């Protein structure tokens, strides 16, 4: 039986000018298992391989008092599993489960100090989610596809907010609009908060916001030791 785990990560920061900052980072994680067991005349072998990859890049630039931030990101997760059972007289049962999830996107954010106590923030975000899975069963002379699906969603989001910070106060008001093409649905997310500092020992705050998230779920009926 063998088990292995390894991960690598790296980040690079550099500033090509006084107004520019760039950073690039990446990570790779690999986890694998090869496990064999025997009971009476049945020999079972299970193999599992889980991998994660992630890359991102960020560019920050100042145009006077206006600050821009560009962010690009990509991550992929794969899960591959095999369960092979050998029976007497060359009979066998082979089960395979493969899953893959990819998340990628880009963001363009801006911040602008309008006055000494008023700041504006706005931007656009594009994100994509790609999910796929397949379950297979194989017997001597027969292969059965239990389930296979592939879904992809692209979301567009725009947001804007204003922050007002007079003496002793911190007021934030804004909103976010998101559209998900896989559902053909739009969501408006208002956000509002008020914070008041009464003394060095007491601060009061009230906030309200609405948030949403796109998720995908697969209900697996094929049971195995490492489901």
């Amino acid at each position: 039986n063998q088990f292995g785990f390894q991960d690598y990560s790296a980040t690079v920061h550099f500033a090509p000018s006084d107004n520019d900052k760039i950073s690039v980072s990446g990570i790779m994680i690999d986890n694998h298992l090869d496990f064999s067991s025997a009971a009476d005349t049945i020999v079972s072998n299970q193999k599992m391989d889980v991998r994660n990859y992630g890359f991102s890049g960020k560019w920050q630039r100042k145009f006077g008092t206006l600050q821009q931030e560009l962010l690009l990101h990509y991550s992929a997760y794969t899960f591959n599993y095999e369960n092979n059972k050998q029976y007497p007289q060359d009979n066998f049962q082979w089960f395979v489960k493969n899953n893959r999830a990819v998340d990628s996107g880009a963001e363009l954010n801006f911040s602008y100090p309008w006055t000494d106590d008023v700041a504006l923030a706005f931007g656009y975000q594009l994100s994509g989610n790609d999910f796929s899975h397949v379950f297979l069963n194989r017997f001597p002379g027969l292969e059965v596809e239990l389930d296979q699906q592939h879904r992809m969603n692209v979301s567009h989001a725009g947001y804007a907010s204003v922050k007002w910070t007079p003496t002793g106060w911190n007021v934030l008001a804004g909103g976010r609009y998101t559209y998900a093409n896989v559902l053909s649905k739009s969501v408006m997310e208002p956000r509002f908060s008020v914070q008041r500092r009464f003394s060095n020992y007491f601060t009061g705050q009230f906030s309200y916001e609405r948030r949403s998230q796109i998720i995908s779920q697969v209900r697996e009926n094929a049971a195995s030791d490492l489901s």
Side-chain angles (χ1 to χ4, degrees):
N1 301 313
Q2 296 180 350
F3 174 79
F5 176 85
Q6 58 182 340
D7 69 280
Y8 305 92
S9 63
T11 303
V12 178
H13 301 277
F14 59 99
S17 69
D18 294 337
N19 295 323
D20 294 279
K21 294 181 180 180
I22 299 176
S23 63
V24 180
S25 62
I27 187 171
M28 188 278 286
I29 301 174
D30 181 57
N31 183 355
H32 64 271
L33 171 70
D34 191 340
F35 177 76
S36 298
S37 61
D40 296 330
T41 58
I42 302 175
V43 179
S44 176
N45 175 253
Q46 299 181 74
K47 294 181 180 180
M48 182 179 67
D49 188 66
V50 182
R51 296 185 180 183
N52 263 308
Y53 298 94
F55 307 96
S56 67
K58 183 169 65 174
W59 172 38
Q60 293 177 310
R61 178 170 176 80
K62 291 183 178 180
F63 299 92
T65 57
L66 177 67
Q67 182 166 318
Q68 166 207 283
E69 180 184 78
L70 175 64
L71 176 65
L72 305 174
H73 64 89
Y74 173 89
S75 64
Y77 167 84
T78 59
F79 178 93
N80 299 322
Y81 170 74
E82 295 183 15
N83 188 351
N84 189 0
K85 292 185 178 181
Q86 297 288 337
Y87 300 93
Q89 300 178 352
D90 295 331
N91 288 326
F92 67 89
Q93 181 182 0
W94 183 67
F95 172 70
V96 173
K97 174 174 62 176
N98 295 330
N99 290 279
R100 178 175 171 83
V102 177
D103 179 77
S104 58
E107 299 181 13
L108 185 59
N109 305 309
F110 295 93
S111 59
Y112 178 69
W114 193 10
T115 63
D116 292 339
D117 53 6
V118 177
L120 306 177
F122 54 94
Y124 168 76
Q125 299 172 350
L126 172 68
S127 61
N129 307 105
D130 192 331
F131 301 95
S132 61
H133 71 270
V134 59
F135 304 141
L136 297 175
N137 248 347
R138 181 181 294 173
F139 307 92
L142 176 65
E143 182 174 291
V144 180
E145 183 179 286
L146 302 175
D147 191 19
Q148 181 176 2
Q149 291 189 32
H150 180 206
R151 295 290 185 270
M152 184 173 181
N153 173 70
V154 177
S155 296
H156 303 267
Y159 74 93
S161 65
V162 56
K163 187 175 183 179
W164 181 44
T165 55
T167 303
W169 290 87
N170 192 333
V171 182
L172 177 67
R176 177 186 175 92
Y177 172 83
T178 304
Y179 173 79
N181 74 330
V182 71
L183 301 175
S184 298
K185 185 177 181 179
S186 301
V187 179
M188 188 64 189
E189 302 168 326
R191 296 173 186 181
F192 177 75
S193 69
V194 178
Q195 186 181 82
R196 168 66 171 169
R197 182 178 180 181
F198 297 96
S199 68
N200 293 332
Y201 307 99
F202 180 71
T203 299
Q205 178 175 308
F206 170 82
S207 63
Y208 169 81
E209 65 179 353
R210 182 185 181 188
R211 292 180 178 268
S212 64
Q213 183 180 20
I214 301 296
I215 62 173
S216 176
Q217 182 183 34
V218 176
R219 295 185 178 271
E220 178 187 349
N221 296 319
S224 60
D225 294 346
L226 295 178
S227 290

